[in-house]
């Protein structure tokens, strides 16, 4: 019996910490040239938007995944919870959007009646808007219902409350301005349509503070999934994370005095370019002149002396050092909110170019100043604050100064120096008083910060003073009065508890793994299977997934030598796969999980190698999730997993059988659709095989959660291979649903899943209904170039089928009009799709029922294979197998298609 070595479990913790710490140094998922593109704005018509939105010239990584804007015919739109909204206005300052649901902007009675839930973590309904309930199919006998009736919808009422639920068969919510008052008994449809056309306002709840902080460091605001990140502003095609200093680093930087010009020992509020977090924005210093100078409203002030111990700073106006009559002197009041003037500071006021002779007013506090005036105008100065009681008798004189003098300048000056000037009025004493400058006290917040052993700085995001402290545990403990001995005791005790918990966890894991392996070897119902015709696994594989499926797979694999197998999964070396893929040069496609490459193993098997491009915990979980699911399942319509690399390899890689004929999406509306369209019999076979695979998954307790045409692969015989299980979830058999955050692809996601975050197998049924609709229509699930009511294919299909307009939905090239048998079968498939796309899960069929219905539609006379190249696309014949090797260029044969959502096929 094989037992898991304890060393393998220890590796689990090593793997965990390796991925956790390395994920902070990964590149952004961006292939654009230059992150400077994030500085561009989205522009469409009269809409302009930047962070946190993306779209247009702003790549997706520049904005939140849920805030991608689209521009079509100069009109902006956004997809929210699988529904299209017209964006009528964006106010970036208040982070407010005015939206209107596209399908409700036309005739109300012919619109699709569906509710949409705004994701609460992204949007919040504004106070100017309200949610109302529309009731329809109401009982005509109730007097309180509206007299307005929509065709096929019966009486319709709009209400603020839910009183009509008992008398109406159905309802949905709408968002409208608060100015709209619903007429519950006498509905005025015109008023309602105007309110829906006007739209409603929502607030975007994205926290912009991290972005503002990023910008303050000249970085680029970006997103990795829904997490804000900050990248360097360079021309690289990768996100080079910008280093933003932490509290400890800022404390070390800002607590160190610096030198500027002839001044040493400078600290807050002064700063230079490399110390911008350490000073107030208004006190940046220029050291190029040999002096330490700062500019306030274009006026330069020179630092004469700084003494933090004596708690004073002395400045002087640079333009008055050595010159009493500078050219065009400016009057700049000094802002004391950062550095207060000391009590003995007085405002010296100088009046220039006076048109009247005031020499008769010269006194103790008023003096004349001779400048080189060619026009004979006089200049005077006042040595006291103009509000001083000492000048009480001269108020009229100062009014005359202001009226008859062209210019006046108030300059702070040192009180004792002005007293000397008053005692001995002379040009030299005036010059000395201005050159000695004025004194300032220290910032009070900074003084308190110093007292607490902090370092003074400034947070440019919040525009507030900041005190940086050392946040090391031992420092905090000492501040609280804890002795070093007590700190040592706490550390020892904490370490002991941690070791005890780890030991207990290891013991439980060993017991659980041994029990699981014993059960697997002793169970008579677990068949031994192999996923390769050339190799046979030495270990049994269950066709169902046990409770141990959630245990980590990577550590156990990492302890095995290359080339061995573990529960049916072969372990490959990185070098082996590097050689097989010709150094990863033959790319097949990109997806949300990673890049896929074509390769040829030494044993001759053609393979597709999925390369995990991100070593984050989330991606590792998806990596393990896909192995856990595919290693235990065997079905002719599920893609085969050959193996994976070990944890010791340079990268995490998954190895699959190579499916050479592309995706179903390629054949329906992609590159392969025009030259080689698949005919109706083949499409019906594809539907049956896909449904069979999903039915098998549901029987095995698995929800795929990302059913779409890009995850349905086709081989050369057009046999289906369902792929991409990175988002799949194990479904407990004793539960009716599981709760999980909505993930998937717009156009395919179950609307009830979006509304209540409850997932069950009927979510796959809804997505399969969209696939059926694509099969009969050849249309994409979401296409913003279609009419706003038809952008979402599911809504379009429901509306067309309800109104007996299936002929407007189907692809006419499939023979719907000319072949009655094809028409009958396509109508039956459309009816089945309609059942799958119901809003309420309870009325949707199960996958087992879907398989039976599709087989019944096909009938026994339907051939298994057809010649898709036959005339008209409907001739019966034998599919030719192709021996053409896969193309080198991913542009001509994409094994999968990329996706802009949370996941895509491989």
């Amino acid at each position: 019996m094989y037992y898991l070595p304890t060393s393998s479990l220890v590796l689990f913790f090593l793997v965990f910490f390796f991925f956790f710490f390395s994920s902070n140094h990964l590149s952004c998922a961006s292939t654009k040239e230059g992150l400077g593109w994030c500085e561009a704005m989205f522009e469409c018509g009269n809409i302009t938007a930047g962070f946190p939105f993306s779209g247009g010239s702003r790549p997706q990584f520049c904005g939140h995944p849920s805030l991608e804007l689209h521009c079509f015919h100069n009109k902006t739109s956004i997809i929210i919870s699988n529904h299209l909204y017209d964006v009528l206005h964006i106010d970036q300052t208040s982070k407010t959007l005015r939206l209107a649901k596209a399908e409700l902007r036309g005739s109300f009675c012919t619109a699709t009646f569906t509710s949409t839930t705004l994701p609460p973590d992204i949007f919040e309904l504004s106070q100017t808007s309200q949610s109302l309930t529309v009731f329809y199919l109401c009982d005509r006998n109730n007097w309180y219902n509206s007299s307005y009736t929509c065709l096929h919808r019966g009486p319709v009422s709009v209400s603020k409350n839910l009183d009509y639920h008992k008398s109406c068969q159905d309802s949905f919510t709408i968002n409208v301005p608060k100015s709209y008052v619903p007429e519950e008994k006498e509905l005025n449809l015109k008023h309602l349509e105007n309110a829906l056309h006007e739209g409603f306002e929502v607030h975007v709840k994205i926290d912009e503070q991290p972005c503002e902080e990023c910008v303050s460091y000249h970085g680029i605001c970006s997103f990795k999934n829904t997490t804000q990140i900050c990248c360097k502003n360079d021309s690289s095609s990768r996100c080079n994370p910008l280093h933003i200093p932490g509290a400890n680093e800022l404390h070390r930087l800002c607590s160190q005095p610096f030198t500027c010009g002839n001044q040493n020992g400078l600290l807050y509020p002064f700063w230079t370019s490399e110390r911008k977090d350490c000073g107030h924005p208004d006190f940046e210093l220029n050291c190029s002149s040999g002096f330490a100078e700062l500019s306030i409203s274009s006026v330069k002030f020179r630092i004469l002396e700084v003494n933090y111990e004596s708690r004073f700073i002395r400045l002087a106006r640079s333009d008055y050092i050595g010159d009493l009559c500078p050219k065009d002197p400016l009057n700049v009041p000094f802002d004391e909110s950062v550095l207060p003037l000391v009590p003995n500071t007085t405002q010296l006021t100088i009046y220039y170019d006076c048109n009247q002779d005031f020499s008769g007013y010269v006194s103790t506090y008023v003096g004349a100043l001779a400048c080189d005036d060619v026009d004979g105008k006089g200049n005077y100065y006042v040595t006291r604050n103009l509000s001083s009681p000492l000048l009480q008798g001269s108020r009229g004189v100062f009014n005359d100064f202001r009226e008859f003098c062209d210019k006046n300048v108030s300059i702070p000056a040192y009180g004792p120096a002005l007293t000397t000037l008053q005692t001995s009025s002379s040009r030299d004493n005036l010059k000395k008083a201005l050159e000695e400058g004025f004194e300032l006290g220290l910032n009070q917040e900074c003084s308190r910060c110093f007292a607490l052993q902090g370092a003074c700085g400034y947070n440019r995001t919040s525009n507030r003073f900041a005190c940086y402290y050392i946040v090391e545990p031992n420092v905090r403990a000492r501040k609280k009065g804890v002795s070093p001995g007590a700190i040592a005791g706490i550390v020892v005790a904490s370490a002991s508890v941690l070791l005890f918990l780890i030991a207990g966890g290891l013991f439980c894991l060993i017991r659980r793994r041994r029990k699981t392996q014993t059960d697997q070897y002793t169970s008579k119902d677990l068949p031994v299977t192999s996923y390769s015709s050339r190799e046979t696994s030495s270990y049994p594989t269950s066709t169902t997934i046990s409770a141990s499926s959630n245990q980590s797979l990577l550590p156990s694999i990492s302890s095995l030598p290359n080339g061995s197998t573990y529960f049916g999964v072969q372990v490959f070396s990185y070098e082996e796969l590097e050689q097989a893929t010709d150094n990863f040069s033959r790319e097949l496609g990109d997806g949300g999980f990673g890049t896929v490459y074509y390769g040829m193993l030494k044993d001759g098997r053609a393979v597709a190698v999925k390369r995990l491009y991100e070593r984050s915990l989330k991606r590792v979980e998806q990596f393990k999730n896909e192995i856990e699911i595919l290693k235990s399942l065997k079905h002719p319509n599920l893609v085969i997993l050959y193996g994976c690399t070990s944890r010791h390899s340079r990268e995490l890689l998954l190895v699959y059988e190579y499916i050479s004929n592309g995706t179903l999406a390629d054949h329906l509306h992609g590159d392969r659709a025009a030259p080689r369209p698949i005919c109706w019999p083949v499409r019906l076979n594809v539907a049956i095989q896909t449904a069979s695979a999903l039915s098998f998954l549901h029987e095995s307790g698995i929800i795929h959660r990302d059913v779409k045409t890009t995850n349905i692969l086709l081989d050369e015989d057009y046999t289906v291979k369902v792929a991409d299980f990175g988002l799949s979830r194990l479904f407990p058999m004793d539960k009716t649903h599981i709760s999980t955050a909505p993930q998937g692809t717009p156009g395919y996601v179950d609307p009830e899943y979006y509304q209540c975050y409850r997932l069950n197998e009927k979510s796959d049924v809804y997505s399969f209904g969209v696939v059926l609709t694509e099969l009969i229509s050849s249309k994409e699930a979401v296409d913003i170039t279609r009419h706003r009511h038809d952008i979402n294919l599911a809504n379009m299909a429901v509306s067309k089928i309800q109104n007996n307009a299936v002929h407007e939905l189907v692809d006419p090239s499939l023979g719907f009009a000319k072949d009655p048998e094809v028409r009958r079968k396509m109508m039956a498939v459309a009816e089945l799709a309609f059942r799958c796309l119901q809003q309420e899960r309870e009325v949707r069929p199960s996958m087992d029922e879907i398989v039976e219905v599709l087989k019944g539609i096909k009938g026994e006379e339907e051939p298994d294979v057809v010649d898709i190249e036959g005339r008209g696309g409907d001739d019966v014949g034998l599919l030719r197998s192709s021996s053409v090797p896969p193309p080198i260029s991913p542009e001509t044969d994409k094994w999968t298609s990329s996706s802009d959502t949370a996941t895509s096929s491989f």
Side-chain angles (χ1 to χ4, degrees), residues 656-888:
Y656 301 87
E657 63 174 327
Y658 172 65
I659 310 300
S660 60
N661 203 14
T663 69
L664 179 58
D666 293 335
H667 290 275
L668 294 180
H669 35 65
D671 296 337
R672 299 171 185 259
R676 301 177 65 187
I678 55 178
C679 62
W680 173 246
V682 173
R683 298 188 187 209
L684 188 54
N685 282 336
V686 167
I688 294 173
Q689 294 173 18
T690 304
S692 299
L694 295 176
S695 176
F696 173 76
L697 289 177
H698 291 177
E699 290 175 0
S700 304
I702 296 169
I703 305 172
H704 189 285
R705 208 162 65 137
D706 199 23
V707 177
K708 58 182 178 180
T709 51
T710 52
N711 283 342
I712 300 172
L713 310 180
L714 301 175
D715 66 11
E716 289 300 325
D717 293 329
Y718 287 81
T719 299
V720 165
K721 296 287 186 177
V722 176
D724 202 339
F725 294 83
L727 282 185
S728 300
R729 285 294 178 269
L730 305 179
F731 193 84
M733 292 303 181
D734 60 341
K735 303 291 185 181
T736 60
H737 68 274
I738 55 177
S739 297
T740 175
Q743 296 187 58
T745 305
Y748 295 92
V749 180
D750 176 6
E752 189 170 328
Y753 180 25
Y754 259 118
Q755 292 171 13
C756 58
Y757 294 2
R758 295 166 64 151
L759 176 73
N760 66 17
E761 70 277 357
K762 293 297 183 72
S763 300
D764 282 351
V765 171
Y766 182 90
S767 303
F768 182 72
V770 181
V771 173
L772 287 179
T773 307
E774 289 184 74
L775 285 168
I776 65 175
S777 68
S778 302
K779 301 180 187 297
E780 295 185 65
V782 175
D783 186 352
I784 64 172
T785 64
R786 295 195 291 254
H787 187 276
R788 65 174 180 267
H789 298 309
D790 299 336
I791 287 176
N792 186 301
L793 183 60
N795 293 342
M796 177 184 180
V798 170
S799 177
K800 297 294 185 186
I801 297 169
Q802 267 183 335
N803 295 306
N804 296 321
V806 176
H807 62 282
E808 297 178 4
L809 176 68
V810 300
D811 183 348
S813 68
L814 298 177
F816 182 85
K818 66 180 181 179
D819 190 329
E821 185 65 18
V822 170
R823 181 167 60 253
R824 180 187 66 82
K825 293 179 179 181
M826 292 183 71
M827 290 287 290
V829 172
E831 181 181 349
L832 179 60
F834 180 80
R835 293 177 59 196
C836 295
L837 295 175
Q838 293 303 300
Q839 296 289 313
E840 297 79 15
R841 292 175 174 173
E842 292 75 13
V843 299
R844 299 174 197 160
S846 67
M847 288 309 307
D848 285 343
E849 182 183 350
I850 291 172
V851 173
E852 294 303 316
V853 171
L854 287 172
K855 287 181 177 179
I857 294 173
K858 176 183 177 182
E860 293 300 324
E861 76 283 357
E862 192 69 44
D864 289 329
V865 291
V866 295
D867 183 358
I868 64 167
E869 296 180 351
R871 180 177 297 178
D874 292 323
D875 295 339
V876 178
L878 181 67
L879 276 173
R880 298 180 299 174
S881 62
S882 173
S883 59
V884 179
I888 295 178

Side-chain angles (χ1 to χ4, degrees), residues 197 482 579 653 768 779 839 887:
H197 193 274
V482 182
Q579 181 179 359
L653 305 169
F768 182 72
K779 301 180 187 297
Q839 296 289 313

Side-chain angles (χ1 to χ4, degrees), residues 585-589 672 886-895:
S585 62
R586 302 183 70 176
E587 183 177 327
L588 293 171
R672 299 171 185 259
I888 295 178
S889 171
E891 297 299 324
T892 58
D893 184 5
K894 285 196 178 289
W895 187 61

Side-chain angles (χ1 to χ4, degrees), residues 527-581:
V528 178
T529 61
S530 172
Y531 286 8
S532 171
S533 59
R534 299 173 183 267
E535 297 180 16
T536 302
S537 170
S538 59
Y539 299 100
T541 304
S542 171
T543 58
T544 60
I545 295 187
S546 67
S548 64
S549 298
N550 292 329
Q551 295 177 359
S552 174
L553 177 66
L554 296 184
S556 53
I557 291 178
S558 66
S559 64
L560 299 174
N562 293 324
S564 63
T565 59
Y566 180 76
F567 280 85
V569 177
Q570 182 177 350
V571 178
F572 295 90
S573 69
Y574 178 84
E575 292 72 20
E576 181 181 0
L577 297 180
E578 185 178 38
Q579 181 179 359
T581 58

